[in-house]
Amino acid sequence: MNGERIRVLLIEGNRDDARLIQEMLAISSVSLTFELERADRLSAGLEQLAAGGIDAILLDLSLPDSRGLETVVQTHAQAPGVPIVVLTGLDDENLAVRAMQKGAHDYLVKGQVDRNLLVRAIRYSIERAQTQEALQESEERYALAVRGTHEGLWDWNLKTNEVHFSPRWKFMLGCEENEIGNSPDEWFSRLHPEDLERLKKEIEAHLAGLTSHFENEHRVLHKDGTYRWMLSRGLAVRNAAGNAYRMAGSQTDITVRRAAEEQLLHDALHDALTGLPNRALFIDRLGLLIGRAKRRQDYLCAVLFLDLDRFKVINDSLGHMFGDQLLIAIARRLEACLRPGDTVARLGGDEFTMLLDNIKDVSEATRVADRIQNELATPFNLNGHEVFTTASIGIALSVPGYDWPEDLLRDADMAMYRAKALGKARHALFDRGMHARAVALLQLEADLRRAFERQEFRIHYQPIVSLLSSQITGVEALARWHHPQRGLVCPAEFIPLAEETGLIITLGEWLLRTACAQNKAWQAAGHSQLRVMVNFSARQFQHRNLLDLIQRVLGETGMAAHTLELEITETLAMKDIDFSLTTLNELSAMGIQISIDDFGTGYSSLGSLKRFPITTLKIDQSFIRDITNDADDAALTTAIIAMAHSLALKVIAEGVETEEQLAFLRSQKCDEILGYVISRPVPAEAFTKLLEGGGCLSPGAT
Ligand code: C2E
Ligand code: MG
Ligand code: MG
């Protein structure tokens, strides 16, 4: 037989009733056949159920061995998956309803049953049992999923305004299942006050249909009293009219991720070594305060720009590890000097900046600078080393006119340079004049760069005259800049700048070549032993191509090496003695003469200079100026000349202006002189005339 077969177990004590049922189910169709088995008491029925294969049970509630609800309970317990249709008498409908609660699927009232009703009841109860089983399975699966996931879930019934929070959701906040109820407030009341508004706004926006889904990051209070960062996501369920009646979603703990993000942000805005704010953060805060200063007339803030005075020495001598430790220790001391609202930052290297918020007047800023200097005066103890340091501090105030934080910082920096120039270990206040000077310097620098291309440089020549022969024996080449607007600019003004910008290298090369070529021309014209003296600055002297350059120039001009005399200052020679010694020895080996310029202005002794292969000493003009009216200067000059001679050095007196000075120097056996008494520095053509005139020491020569 094809079609469906349903095995029904009828547990019925009453034989007539049993027969009636039997008859009703006996009529089978092609598509459906009932196989009926019968038990006349519960015990027999349970046994048959144990054998299995039963699809549905028809159960009478008044059996010889069991009555009432207990019958249902036992039957259901024996075969939980098999649907039970209870058969009751007319007066027992209440009992039937309660039987349903105990596991029965349906009930029929005896005497009111016909075949159709019976078949439908059996079939429906089977179907319902099947869906129930499926539902249970799916619910179990869901529960498992919920338990398994890391996320907490919430399900908000918008009609009743109740939220179901999953156990995991509650656990994420450190709570047990029963510690959190169903109110949305359980969530909102735990939210960080700063995050609540935004969360609510985003929920509203989604409910109103403005966003495709709800998503928000916020802090929620954990039972342990700390806040945890959570990511909540959700979706509204809407009716046909589009109105949301339910919203459900998840909660993920993102505390670790947020901490990593915050660390990244912190790193981007702080100095890794000292942990202080860095330049970016400092500029940001300064920008805020400048904005405040622009809005409020009575508001004033100050920037202190601090640079350590001898950090490089410490770093180079004790090593970078110590240098780093010192910077950290300084950072801590600086912090201790400031009030809570102030900022101290490290810009890099040994540069620190401080932002003083809301100060009354400039004296408050200078007091802080004093305090810092006092604080730094106590030596630092780094691994047993006592380290002393001082700092130069520039101060700039947020006076009207500042639009950008960078400008205020720049001015504080400029004032710091001023403090350095004034002798370090002090503070200087920025003033508008500084800015003007800096701008002028910048302009000069730009002009200087252009000057070389435009060939605005000249050389003036000043004769060196022998006191023995009264003849011109040498010539000092002195740089001049013919500025298109300012006229002749003296070297004291542009040489340091050329030195700083590096232009001195190209300029110096041109000077050397031109001076040597010129001197060679004079030699060729009959003054064969004429020496040319060329000044060399630090950067030129330390340039690695120095020897090459000189060799090349001598080769090109054909001038004899011994007629070239290089002038370096005493200070420069003593700066790096080993280097000077090597370089000067090499120059000397080439046959070049070396003279020490401006002697007497440095701190070196003649003895120490003697280690160098020098040939000439030029006594600085500051000694010569007063030799005729200052006994000390006269005695000093006499001593220098005598000592130089004892070391077989030639002596040249610089800046001789009067006949009296000349007479004195001659009496002291000074070898040569240079000064206005003979001639000022003059262009080459004029110098040629001097040479032709014999260069004799006639008074009144200019
Ligand atoms: P310096 O080498 O000591 O040059 C002597 C300076 O004294 C020159 O100043 C000269 O004009 C000046 N002078 C000479 N006789 C007298 C005098 O009787 N009375 C007075 N009051 N001054 C006198 P100048 O030309 O202004 O040069 C200043 C300094 O600039 C030079 O001092 C030198 O150190 C530097 N300098 C000049 N030319 C060059 C150069 O080509 N290269 C480098 N590196 N430095 C240079
Ligand atoms: Mg000189
Ligand atoms: Mg000099």
Side-chain angles (χ1 to χ4, degrees), residues 412-433:
D413 187 9
M414 208 177 281
M416 184 276 291
Y417 271 103
R418 182 89 192 120
K420 289 245 189 227
L422 290 173
K424 301 183 177 173
R426 68 193 64 216
H427 58 74
L429 190 66
F430 174 78
D431 65 58
R432 294 276 163 206

Side-chain angles (χ1 to χ4, degrees), residues 333 337 367-379 389 393:
R333 285 200 195 172
C337 289
R367 265 204 310 279
V368 174
D370 283 333
R371 205 184 314 148
I372 290 170
Q373 250 130 10
N374 279 338
E375 197 61 38
L376 294 183
T378 321
T389 184
I393 301 175

Side-chain angles (χ1 to χ4, degrees), residues 271-338:
D271 166 48
L273 179 66
T274 59
L276 292 178
N278 62 13
R279 183 191 198 92
L281 185 54
F282 187 83
I283 288 283
D284 188 60
R285 292 195 184 160
L286 180 55
L288 289 178
L289 297 196
I290 285 183
R292 192 173 300 164
K294 282 172 87 80
R295 287 190 304 276
R296 282 175 32 195
Q297 276 199 334
D298 60 333
Y299 178 84
L300 195 64
C301 69
V303 172
L304 268 55
F305 198 113
L306 179 149
D307 188 284
L308 297 179
D309 289 330
R310 32 194 302 279
F311 182 67
K312 197 176 143 38
V313 179
I314 294 166
N315 224 13
D316 289 351
S317 56
L318 295 177
H320 289 266
M321 285 260 291
F322 277 92
D324 284 357
Q325 279 183 38
L326 178 64
L327 291 174
I328 294 169
I330 284 171
R332 299 292 89 83
R333 285 200 195 172
L334 292 179
E335 279 174 328
C337 289
L338 300 185

Side-chain angles (χ1 to χ4, degrees), residues 476-478 533-535 567 595 597-598 618 654 674:
E476 175 159 8
L478 295 160
M533 312 193 76
V534 181
N535 295 281
E567 293 191 5
S595 88
D597 204 352
D598 302 344
K618 294 180 85 178
E654 287 187 304
L674 170 119

